[in-house]
Amino acid sequence: MLKSKEKYTEEERAIARSLRPIDDTLFRTMAKDNIPLVEHIVRITLNRDDISILKVNTQDDIHIYEKAHSVILDCLAVDDAGNLYNKEVQATKKGDLVKRARYISSMIDSKYALGKGISSYNEIKTQIVIFLMEEDIFDRRKQLYEFIRYDVDKKLPLDDGSHIIYVNANNKGREDLDNLMQSLVAYDYREMKDTVIRETTMTYKTTVEGEDHVCDAVQQYA
């Protein structure tokens, strides 16, 4: 249960109001149980309108065993075919985001790729890790970078169903993806060009209930 309005400090409310959708605290709050929003982001990122998301899980803490480094996923979604889409928001270049993506992918596979008692590796579904970023960490002036595994001369794809995608707001590309990324990094919801992101953000910026949800997330993060 959320706390009453008086239980949040002005500092917490100021932090909540300052957050953008690209900030993980607000993104996780917006994405929680919000299948239409997550489906919208996945469809635009992949430039496909045939993806139907059935389940969304935010702040999934994957801790495989005691001595392993755990990860908390921003948003993991499953479509109607069982394929996995993990969306991570990143406002800075800090950290080794390439190795981080590899680790996140491996942890998702460890927890979700094969259920207990299933012996056929053909049952493993496609897994796509999507980093939605403010900056271009590769500095190649592309809006979207998609990585899959190939042999060393790049003539033969491994086709193991593993994809890692980095999208940034620095560079332009498809208009719908431009609008999505511009909206994720915008401070003012009134300036957001993506209708779905704008309307969702407005809920958390202009209503007491919405702001309380964000304040609650700020407290949990702290």
Side-chain angles (χ1 to χ4, degrees):
M1 179 180 295
L2 291 176
K3 300 182 179 182
S4 65
K5 185 175 181 180
E6 292 74 18
K7 293 294 181 67
Y8 300 109
T9 66
E10 282 305 314
E11 181 181 8
E12 288 168 340
R13 290 197 175 278
I15 292 172
R17 295 185 190 111
S18 71
L19 294 174
R20 303 170 296 164
I22 196 86
D23 298 312
D24 56 5
T25 303
L26 180 55
F27 181 79
R28 291 172 180 174
T29 304
M30 291 170 56
K32 185 177 181 180
D33 300 323
N34 194 336
I35 289 177
L37 172 67
V38 174
E39 185 176 87
H40 174 72
I41 293 172
V42 171
R43 286 182 171 187
I44 289 183
T45 303
L46 301 182
N47 198 23
R48 291 176 52 187
D49 60 7
D50 61 331
I51 296 172
S52 297
I53 298 298
L54 296 184
K55 182 180 178 182
V56 173
N57 187 9
T58 53
Q59 288 188 281
D60 186 358
D61 189 350
I62 302 181
H63 197 169
I64 301 301
Y65 62 94
E66 183 179 355
K67 294 185 179 180
H69 177 74
S70 64
V71 297
I72 300 178
L73 307 180
D74 284 344
C75 179
L76 182 68
V78 184
D79 70 11
D80 56 1
N83 300 311
L84 299 165
Y85 306 87
N86 181 51
K87 288 150 294 302
E88 300 289 320
V89 290
Q90 186 75 26
T92 70
K93 290 184 177 181
K94 292 181 179 179
D96 191 334
L97 299 177
V98 174
K99 293 290 180 65
R100 179 181 166 191
R102 169 188 165 184
Y103 191 74
I104 287 174
S105 178
S106 69
M107 294 291 274
I108 293 171
D109 270 346
S110 296
K111 184 173 181 178
Y112 293 107
L114 280 180
K116 187 175 181 180
I118 300 176
S119 59
S120 174
Y121 291 104
N122 287 328
E123 296 296 320
I124 296 177
K125 303 298 183 180
T126 295
Q127 184 214 119
I128 302 176
V129 175
I130 302 170
F131 273 86
L132 302 167
M133 309 188 61
E134 185 161 10
E135 302 179 64
D136 178 2
I137 63 171
F138 301 106
D139 295 321
R140 298 295 181 91
R141 299 182 180 179
K142 291 177 59 177
Q143 180 186 54
L144 185 148
Y145 302 85
E146 180 173 6
F147 297 91
I148 60 176
R149 292 185 175 95
Y150 285 87
D151 71 328
V152 291
D153 63 8
K154 297 184 179 180
K155 293 180 180 179
L156 178 65
L158 190 59
D159 195 24
D160 63 349
S162 175
H163 302 249
I164 297 176
I165 296 174
Y166 298 83
V167 190
N168 68 83
N170 268 5
N171 304 313
K172 298 296 183 182
R174 287 187 283 113
E175 183 178 5
D176 57 349
L177 191 53
D178 291 342
N179 293 341
L180 174 69
M181 297 308 299
Q182 177 272 336
S183 300
L184 291 176
V185 302
Y187 285 95
D188 189 339
Y189 70 89
R190 291 167 294 189
E191 298 177 355
M192 295 177 179
K193 297 179 180 179
D194 184 289
T195 303
V196 175
I197 301 297
R198 181 175 67 246
E199 292 180 352
T200 307
T201 305
M202 184 171 62
T203 299
Y204 293 97
K205 296 286 188 178
T206 63
T207 67
V208 173
E209 182 180 4
E211 188 176 287
D212 282 354
H213 278 286
V214 184
C215 287
D216 192 58
V218 169
Q219 285 190 342
Q220 292 180 33
Y221 182 83

